Amino acid sequence: MLRHPTATRLEALGFHGMAGAFDEQIADPAVADLGFEDRFALLVDRESAWRDTKRLQARLRHAKLRVQAAIEDIDFRTPRGLHRALVLQLAEGRWIAEHVNLIITGPTGSGKTWLSCAFGHRAARDDHSVLYARAPRLLEDLAVARADGRYPRLLASLAKVRLLILDDWAITPMTADQRRDLLEVVEDRCGRASTLVASQIPVAEWHAAIGDATLADAILDRLVHSSHRVEIRGESMRKRLAEKTLGA
């Protein structure tokens, strides 16, 4: 069956959602009972939904989330110290609109990365730009950027991200250059954008982990104070899953 030329022209003009909806209307005799305004409204609605989906897909590609996760899939039944009311309140995203930070801590395998990516996915759905990065890798990228002249551009791009997720925070010793780079990143974002930090290191030990008292004070003052905190407790979820699989 040949495609209606109107649908082809809509595709050529970039109205892909509308073109698909037009094909469906042509194939559905029941639509003929609708008036012009109703049929046209259906076309516009489909185009709007199609563009929203494409924008979300683009934001998620840019976010580079490590795992696919969604707030709706959080398991509150497993005893990990997750407070449903707090998590659902944070999922509303007001803290991102207010440029407040979020800190997630817990032992290895407890689900910090998964929960961080779930918040990142929700932020992308709420039309915020998101970027996930492992803190050690980001610091390496900044060092390379400084060497090849991209340092100012990389800092500027990080500053523009509405939600920057830094995973595996403070798990390796920092060099003097890395401490200064980290201060530049958090300074650019302080009061202007939100940063989500996930770490297996308790917040009380971050000062020592950064390694320089003066820079640690400056970094933590911008990152930790007045931030929301989620502390995950319990044994490794990966271990539980492996034991469950072996026992199956």
Side-chain angles (χ1 to χ4, degrees):
M1 181 178 178
L2 294 177
R3 194 178 195 190
H4 196 287
T6 299
T8 302
R9 294 193 66 185
L10 286 170
E11 286 278 8
L13 291 169
F15 296 104
H16 303 283
M18 191 175 287
F22 185 83
D23 284 335
E24 293 175 7
Q25 288 193 10
I26 293 296
D28 185 0
V31 177
D33 294 333
L34 299 176
F36 171 79
E37 291 186 0
D38 290 334
R39 294 185 64 173
F40 189 71
L42 290 173
L43 297 178
V44 173
D45 287 345
R46 178 65 70 82
E47 180 66 26
S48 178
W50 186 88
R51 296 192 180 203
D52 287 344
T53 299
K54 296 296 289 186
R55 283 194 293 268
L56 174 59
Q57 291 173 344
R59 287 193 297 273
L60 289 175
R61 283 196 302 271
H62 180 269
K64 300 177 182 178
L65 298 176
R66 187 171 182 179
V67 296
Q68 292 185 349
I71 294 293
E72 294 80 4
D73 296 331
I74 295 177
D75 178 12
F76 290 104
R77 296 170 297 178
T78 302
R80 292 184 291 164
L82 283 179
H83 298 286
R84 179 190 294 267
L86 174 60
V87 171
L88 296 182
Q89 178 185 350
L90 292 171
E92 294 177 359
R94 189 177 305 168
W95 58 284
I96 299 176
E98 296 174 349
H99 307 151
V100 177
N101 299 325
L102 173 60
I103 296 172
I104 301 177
T105 56
T108 301
S110 59
K112 300 181 300 298
T113 297
W114 193 96
L115 185 58
S116 299
C117 290
F119 280 122
H121 185 271
R122 179 56 183 265
R125 284 160 52 190
D126 289 340
D127 205 21
H128 297 305
S129 57
V130 180
L131 178 64
Y132 169 95
R134 293 184 60 252
R137 178 66 59 83
L138 179 62
L139 293 174
E140 291 175 2
D141 290 344
L142 286 165
V144 173
R146 188 189 305 104
D148 63 18
R150 294 182 297 109
Y151 188 72
R153 293 200 304 274
L154 180 53
L155 284 179
S157 67
L158 292 172
K160 293 177 182 178
V161 177
R162 293 292 301 277
L163 176 61
L164 175 63
I165 301 174
L166 295 179
D167 200 0
D168 291 334
W169 170 272
I171 62 171
T172 58
M174 295 183 190
T175 66
D177 283 342
Q178 288 176 334
R179 288 189 286 266
R180 286 192 290 269
D181 289 343
L182 189 56
L183 178 58
E184 291 295 332
V185 172
V186 298
E187 168 61 25
D188 286 345
R189 301 181 57 77
C190 185
R192 303 180 184 91
S194 297
T195 303
L196 189 161
V197 178
S199 178
Q200 66 190 52
I201 309 299
V203 175
E205 299 178 18
W206 287 7
H207 195 280
I210 292 174
D212 178 280
T214 301
L215 289 178
D217 284 343
I219 292 169
L220 297 183
D221 178 68
R222 292 160 175 77
L223 196 61
V224 175
H225 294 170
S226 302
S227 63
H228 296 289
R229 299 193 192 186
V230 173
E231 182 178 354
I232 304 177
R233 298 189 293 273
E235 64 180 1
S236 170
M237 294 294 288
R238 285 193 289 267
K239 178 181 177 182
R240 289 189 180 190
L241 180 60
E243 292 175 345
K244 183 178 180 181
T245 301
L246 291 174

